């Protein structure tokens, strides 16, 4: 950074000229929201038209607020697991996938389809990005974990629930959480006033049980399934029944609700948990609608993640895969939520968002019925199939029915966008980079009013690819010439399958992408990534079972330096 100051603008390279513009455009600390470098390059070119859009947005929001008694809109956010682009909503693709989702398709017809919605490659990172407005790598919480880890979302991260709660919203979370197994990472510690959720995710709940092992979905979790005469370490294979399952906040305290001491986790209990979360989401909706406060209902169903074919009594799809059958069930649930909003008479002041969290779980496509039908790749991959999902937004009387937007949108953008719509942007922290951009223009003014033309795509802590407009570069290996790196025009090669054509773009785009990456890394030096929160697992849960306590004690003893304590 010091070297930049010594250069004259006449000798700045293509890397550092835009970087200098970014640094000059940065707001003073504490003055405004800080974004990544690329945003300031766009801002320098579009400041005037964005100012005009901002006036139109402010006028429209004021008009909406006035029509609703000065009450900000309610927000219902439904995030579905492992559903890549084309898996929900679009009736035209039913013939390809072998099932239909009529309720989500109807919601799409009644609202806006975000056609270039990017998420993160796996569950936890996408949820972190939505909750914090930040790339997960910045928070230290960037990996999906299924067993005890002793880490999670840091208490100093400021979630959308905290921002909205500070602005007067009642905040409620029902369903999957998966942001860590330590107390500071739990939903009730991260801004939610009502919280019921499993500590872990479907790796424990849907896969790690005897029923799943009997159907060859998982191997090794049932010790009775093989001779154990050479097994010395009895703690290496975790007993899924020893882990905490679902918890609920009651009178300010957190309790486990699914298992009694000595009881084992089964697929039947997993299905019961799913049904309970749907019932309770509907109950929350009724309760919240009767309050004077605006509300934020964050509903993250566990389904369609399911693997045991024996759990299905009535097959309803042409596909016949367990995942396909579960998607149809989830579609029914979404229909129930939307119908209840209509019945309660709150539709005109309620934003409903339904979207997937990442691409399909391809490792299980044989039994699931899922596949990378449109874009190549799936869950855990930086390919478009891993990070492109359907996203639909309905706001009756506000968003034009049946509308589409091809503006690039990242899941973190909901953090900033919903904050603005709620009149809550004062609660967004200004001491760190917020990757989420204000995309209210896309929702209220329509297509071409977006403020993003880029995405940095990580797999865990590693930057794997960069999107700019319609182009995408897979990062070259260290020392390789970026001219020869895989670069794709996503409209000509949507499945990223013809890297041999990259040279046609590399001669001009290779250096441009490298410049983007260097700017991104320079901002990371100024605002470094943090470590995740770390603590003893399951803190703050009032009724840990004896077997769970023993597992936690074994976990503590296994940590470096603990044996001598």
């Amino acid at each position: 950074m010091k070297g930049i100051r010594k250069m004259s603008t006449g000798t700045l390279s293509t890397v550092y000229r835009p970087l200098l513009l970014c640094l000059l455009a940065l707001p003073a600390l504490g003055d405004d929201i800080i974004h990544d470098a690329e945003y300031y390059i766009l801002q320098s070119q579009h400041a005037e038209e964005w100012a005009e859009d901002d006036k139109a947005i402010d006028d429209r929001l004021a008009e909406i607020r006035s029509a609703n008694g000065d009450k900000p809109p309610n927000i219902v956010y439904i995030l579905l697991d492992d559903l890549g682009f084309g898996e929900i909503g679009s009736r035209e693709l039913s013939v390809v996938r072998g099932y239909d989702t009529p309720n989500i398709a109807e919601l799409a017809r009644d609202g806006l389809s975000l056609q270039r919605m990017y998420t993160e490659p796996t569950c936890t990172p996408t949820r972190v990005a939505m909750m914090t407005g930040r790339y997960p790598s910045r928070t230290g919480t960037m990996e999906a974990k299924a067993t005890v880890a002793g880490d999670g979302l840091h208490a100093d991260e400021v979630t959308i629930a905290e921002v909205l709660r500070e602005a007067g919203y009642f905040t409620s979370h029902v369903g999957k959480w998966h942001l860590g197994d330590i107390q500071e990472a739990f939903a009730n510690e991260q801004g939610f006033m009502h919280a019921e959720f499993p500590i872990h995710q479907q790796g424990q709940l849907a896969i790690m049980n005897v029923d799943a092992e009997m159907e060859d979905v998982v191997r090794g979790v049932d010790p009775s399934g093989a001779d154990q005469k050479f097994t010395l370490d009895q703690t290496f294979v975790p007993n899924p029944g020893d882990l905490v399952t679902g918890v609920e906040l009651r009178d300010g305290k957190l309790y486990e609700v699914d298992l009694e001491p000595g009881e084992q986790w089964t697929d039947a209990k997993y299905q019961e948990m799913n049904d309970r979360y749907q019932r309770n989401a509907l109950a929350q909706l009724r309760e919240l609608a009767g309050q004077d406060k605006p509300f934020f209902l964050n509903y993250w169903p566990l389904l369609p993640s399911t693997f045991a074919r024996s759990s299905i009594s009535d097959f309803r799809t042409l596909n016949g895969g367990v995942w396909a059958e579960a998607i149809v069930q989830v579609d029914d649930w979404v229909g129930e939520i939307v119908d209840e909003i209509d019945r309660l008479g709150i539709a005109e002041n309620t934003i409903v968002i339904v979207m997937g969290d990442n691409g399909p779980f391809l490792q299980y496509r044989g039994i699931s019925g899922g596949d990378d039908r449109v874009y190549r790749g799936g869950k855990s991959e930086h390919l478009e199939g891993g990070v492109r999902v359907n996203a639909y937004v309905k706001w009756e009387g506000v968003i034009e029915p049946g509308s589409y937007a091809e503006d690039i949108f990242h899941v973190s953008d909901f953090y900033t966008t919903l904050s603005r719509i709620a009149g809550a942007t004062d609660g967004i922290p200004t001491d760190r980079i917020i990757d989420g951009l204000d995309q209210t223009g896309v929702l209220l003014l329509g297509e071409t009013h977006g403020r993003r033309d880029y995405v940095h795509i990580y797999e865990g802590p590693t930057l794997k690819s960069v999107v700019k407009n319609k182009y995408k570069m897979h990062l070259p290996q260290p020392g390789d010439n970026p001219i020869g790196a895989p670069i794709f025009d996503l409209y000509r090669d949507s499945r990223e399958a013809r890297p041999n054509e990259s040279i046609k773009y590399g001669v001009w785009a290779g250096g441009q992408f490298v410049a983007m990456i260097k700017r991104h890394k320079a901002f990371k030096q100024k605002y470094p990534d943090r470590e995740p929160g770390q603590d003893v697992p399951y803190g703050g849960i009032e009724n840990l079972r004896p077997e769970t306590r023993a597992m936690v004690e074994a976990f503590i003893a296994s940590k470096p330096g603990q044996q001598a304590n």
Side-chain angles (χ1 to χ4, degrees):
M1 306 299 285
K2 291 180 180 178
I4 294 175
R5 297 192 185 99
K6 294 177 182 178
M7 289 181 175
S8 70
T9 55
T11 59
L12 284 171
S13 70
T14 57
V15 173
Y16 292 115
R17 184 188 299 275
L19 179 55
L20 180 59
L21 291 174
C22 296
L23 294 173
L24 292 173
L26 269 176
L29 188 63
D31 179 42
D32 205 352
I33 299 169
I34 301 170
H35 294 303
D36 206 351
E38 295 307 301
Y39 171 80
Y40 297 104
I41 292 175
L42 299 180
Q43 185 187 55
S44 69
Q45 300 173 58
H46 299 279
E48 187 173 324
E49 62 191 86
W50 287 0
E52 292 176 3
D53 281 357
D54 283 333
K55 185 180 186 309
I57 291 166
D58 288 341
D59 290 346
R60 183 68 176 120
L61 288 174
E63 179 185 333
I64 296 165
R65 185 78 67 91
S66 176
N68 289 280
D70 204 37
K71 184 179 179 181
N74 308 309
I75 301 165
V76 177
Y77 181 75
I78 302 175
L79 185 61
L80 305 176
D81 212 47
D82 297 350
L83 291 176
F85 189 88
E87 296 297 282
I88 54 173
S90 176
R91 178 66 179 84
E92 292 80 2
L93 290 177
S94 296
V95 69
V96 177
R97 62 197 183 206
Y99 62 85
D100 196 12
T101 56
N103 293 293
I104 298 175
E106 182 178 0
L107 185 145
R109 288 193 300 271
D110 291 342
L112 168 68
S113 297
L114 295 169
Q115 297 291 88
R116 292 193 71 185
M117 169 59 76
Y118 281 86
T119 63
E120 298 295 312
T122 55
C123 319
T124 295
T126 288
R127 293 156 202 273
V128 168
M130 190 275 166
M131 291 303 299
T132 67
R134 284 153 55 79
Y135 287 147
S137 59
R138 301 193 195 279
T139 73
T141 302
M142 51 196 162
E143 297 176 359
K145 299 176 180 179
T147 57
V148 288
D151 62 30
L153 190 64
H154 199 286
D156 288 345
E157 292 295 333
V158 179
T159 68
I160 183 66
E162 291 171 309
V163 171
L164 294 175
R165 181 174 178 173
E166 185 180 321
Y169 275 68
F170 190 98
T171 54
S172 177
H173 177 83
V174 178
K176 181 171 178 172
W177 182 242
H178 202 195
L179 298 186
D181 59 8
I182 59 175
Q183 183 173 359
E184 69 187 85
F186 295 162
N188 55 299
E189 300 288 346
Q190 292 285 353
F192 286 101
M193 302 157 78
H194 173 92
E196 47 185 300
F197 56 99
I199 298 297
H200 301 284
Q201 42 81 285
Q202 295 92 324
Q204 171 210 7
L205 300 169
I207 299 176
M208 290 172 58
N209 59 67
V210 174
D211 303 308
E213 180 142 3
M214 289 293 290
E215 297 194 29
D216 199 28
V217 173
V218 67
R219 298 173 185 172
V221 298
D222 180 11
S224 68
D227 189 345
Q228 302 294 325
K229 64 183 177 183
F230 293 113
T231 299
L232 301 180
D233 184 355
Q234 303 297 325
T235 67
F236 180 71
V237 178
N239 183 338
D242 294 349
L243 301 167
V244 172
T245 53
V247 295
E248 292 182 6
L249 186 65
R250 299 173 180 171
D251 299 321
K253 295 182 178 180
L254 207 59
Y255 296 89
E256 185 177 21
V257 296
D258 286 289
L259 290 179
E260 297 296 328
E263 198 173 8
Q264 288 300 304
W265 184 252
T266 65
D267 188 72
K269 286 189 174 293
Y270 175 61
Q271 301 302 328
E272 290 168 8
M273 175 185 276
N274 276 283
D275 291 339
R276 182 178 77 244
Y277 286 146
Q278 173 67 8
R279 289 194 307 271
N280 292 357
L282 287 166
Q284 272 293 292
L285 193 56
R286 298 181 193 108
E287 181 178 333
L288 296 171
Q291 298 181 358
D292 291 333
K293 286 185 172 186
F295 64 82
F296 171 44
L297 175 56
N298 200 46
Y299 179 31
W300 296 351
L302 300 171
L303 290 182
S305 291
T306 189
F307 301 91
R309 199 167 180 81
S310 59
S311 67
I312 304 170
S313 58
D314 180 22
F315 286 84
R316 301 164 57 190
T317 73
L318 294 170
N319 181 303
V322 290
W323 211 282
E325 296 293 327
I327 291 171
V328 171
Q329 176 66 68
V330 170
D331 180 71
D332 290 343
W333 289 351
V334 171
E336 290 174 2
I337 295 286
V338 174
D339 288 348
E340 190 65 19
I341 289 170
D342 291 339
R343 190 190 70 79
L344 292 166
I346 58 173
E348 291 188 357
N349 202 34
T350 300
I351 301 169
V352 182
I353 301 167
V354 177
M355 64 178 287
D357 70 347
N358 50 248
F361 204 158
L362 294 180
Q363 291 85 344
Y364 283 102
R365 65 177 136 195
I367 60 173
S368 73
D371 207 349
D372 55 344
R373 305 181 205 281
V374 179
Y375 298 106
R376 184 168 67 93
K379 183 184 180 81
S380 81
E381 297 180 290
H382 68 101
L383 298 171
E384 294 290 283
V387 293
R388 289 283 291 276
V389 302
N390 292 108
Y392 305 109
V393 187
K394 177 184 177 182
W395 190 357
E396 190 171 307
V398 176
I399 290 177
E400 181 182 354
S403 55
Y404 294 83
E406 288 189 36
D407 307 70
I408 293 179
F409 209 112
H410 186 259
V411 62
S412 64
D413 295 342
F414 276 129
Y415 179 91
T416 315
T417 301
L418 294 176
S419 294
R420 180 173 186 181
I421 290 171
T425 53
D426 286 348
I428 296 176
T430 58
D431 62 347
R432 65 200 69 179
I433 288 181
I434 300 296
D435 295 290
L437 305 182
D438 178 10
Q439 300 270 44
T440 311
V442 177
L443 273 58
L444 299 187
L445 306 180
E447 189 174 62
T448 74
H449 290 274
R451 300 187 179 184
R452 174 186 292 279
D453 75 342
Y454 65 93
V455 182
H456 303 88
I457 303 175
Y458 283 79
E459 290 180 3
T462 305
L463 183 62
K464 297 290 287 187
S465 60
V466 180
V467 174
K468 180 72 169 180
N469 189 7
K470 65 176 183 174
Y471 303 105
K472 181 174 183 178
M473 172 194 260
H474 295 181
L475 264 67
Q477 293 297 314
D480 286 356
N481 191 328
I483 290 177
I487 300 175
F488 307 92
D489 180 330
L490 294 173
Y491 286 111
R492 291 193 172 203
D493 185 6
S494 60
R495 291 182 65 82
E496 301 160 87
R498 300 192 298 274
N500 56 305
E501 295 184 359
S502 297
I503 192 62
K504 299 173 183 178
Y505 308 106
V507 290
W508 65 267
Q512 296 295 95
F513 273 112
V514 169
M516 280 185 67
I517 294 164
K518 288 186 176 181
R519 292 192 290 269
H520 177 66
K521 290 183 175 180
F523 269 44
K524 279 204 164 202
Q525 288 181 341
K526 184 173 178 64
Y527 299 96
D529 299 343
R530 69 152 33 104
E531 293 295 316
Q534 296 183 341
D535 204 345
V536 174
Y538 305 147
I541 299 174
E542 297 292 320
N543 59 335
L544 289 181
R545 290 170 285 127
E547 56 265 39
T548 307
R549 293 183 184 278
M551 183 189 63
V552 171
E553 289 170 2
F555 173 82
I556 294 171
S558 71
K559 301 293 284 183
Q562 293 293 322
Q563 293 86 342
N565 291 344

